[in-house]
Amino acid sequence: MLCLLIGVFECAGKLTISIFGPLYLTEIMSVDPTTKGNLLSAMGLIYIPVSFIIPALADRFSAKKVMLITFLLCLITPLSMVLMEGRAISIATLVLFGNWAAATVSLFIYVIPGRALPEHLIGTANGIIMGVSVFVGGCVCPLILGKFADSVQGIRDIMWACSAMFMLC
């Protein structure tokens, strides 16, 4: 159940950064489209080694501790967008840590349930965690956050919500 909740909040937080991060770059930071593309490409390139490092660290150390540290690093991005709005540090944290949450997916969907559950329940748990996480965190939450962004002060409040999601993880 804990992995299921982590999955929902991870997916929602990750998609919030993916959807509203580029909007932050253009609307708040006034970044031109070419620079925005370069920054988002750099964010993707940084994710490549991270996607190998996080699971490798979970093999050497506790998966729970690796996830905790990773989500704390993920928390830096939305907090910097709120607390240092309009400053270059907020762009740097977006590019550096913007995709790190995705590197934890294999841990809460496969590794932890694989270690904690009897063998005959692992596949079912994997499917439930993945399905519910993607549906609720990936489909329902972005709709709610989009409406929320339109009805309140926009990206700043969305990043507060994103920070809460990563803290819940």
Side-chain angles (χ1 to χ4, degrees):
M1 289 304 296
L2 188 56
C3 287
L4 177 69
L5 291 173
I6 291 169
V8 168
F9 291 120
E10 178 276 337
C11 194
K14 174 180 62 188
L15 284 175
T16 300
I17 291 293
S18 296
I19 294 167
F20 294 98
L23 292 174
Y24 177 84
L25 291 173
T26 54
E27 292 180 16
I28 305 296
M29 298 298 295
S30 302
V31 172
D32 66 90
T34 301
T35 304
K36 178 176 78 171
N38 290 334
L39 291 168
L40 295 174
S41 295
M43 186 169 80
L45 288 172
I46 289 169
Y47 174 69
I48 293 169
V50 169
S51 67
F52 290 101
I53 293 168
I54 299 296
L57 288 173
D59 286 341
R60 297 190 75 197
F61 306 103
S62 163
K64 294 175 191 175
K65 288 179 184 175
V66 170
M67 283 179 29
L68 175 65
I69 292 167
T70 303
F71 285 126
L72 287 173
L73 290 171
C74 291
L75 181 60
I76 293 170
T77 297
L79 283 179
S80 72
M81 290 176 169
V82 171
L83 300 175
M84 294 179 251
E85 185 176 15
R87 297 194 183 142
I89 189 76
S90 63
I91 293 176
T93 61
L94 173 64
V95 171
L96 184 59
F97 301 116
N99 283 333
W100 284 40
T104 65
V105 170
S106 63
L107 304 180
F108 63 77
I109 290 180
Y110 302 110
V111 174
I112 293 172
R115 292 178 182 167
L117 295 172
E119 192 171 329
H120 70 280
L121 296 177
I122 295 171
T124 302
N126 298 155
I128 291 171
I129 294 167
M130 183 180 291
V132 172
S133 297
V134 170
F135 180 72
V136 175
C139 296
V140 175
C141 190
L143 290 171
I144 293 168
L145 287 175
K147 285 283 195 189
F148 181 68
D150 291 341
S151 66
V152 295
Q153 295 177 343
I155 294 172
R156 182 181 177 94
D157 289 338
I158 293 299
M159 289 305 149
W160 277 119
C162 184
S163 298
M165 288 178 230
F166 285 139
M167 288 202 316
L168 288 168
C169 287

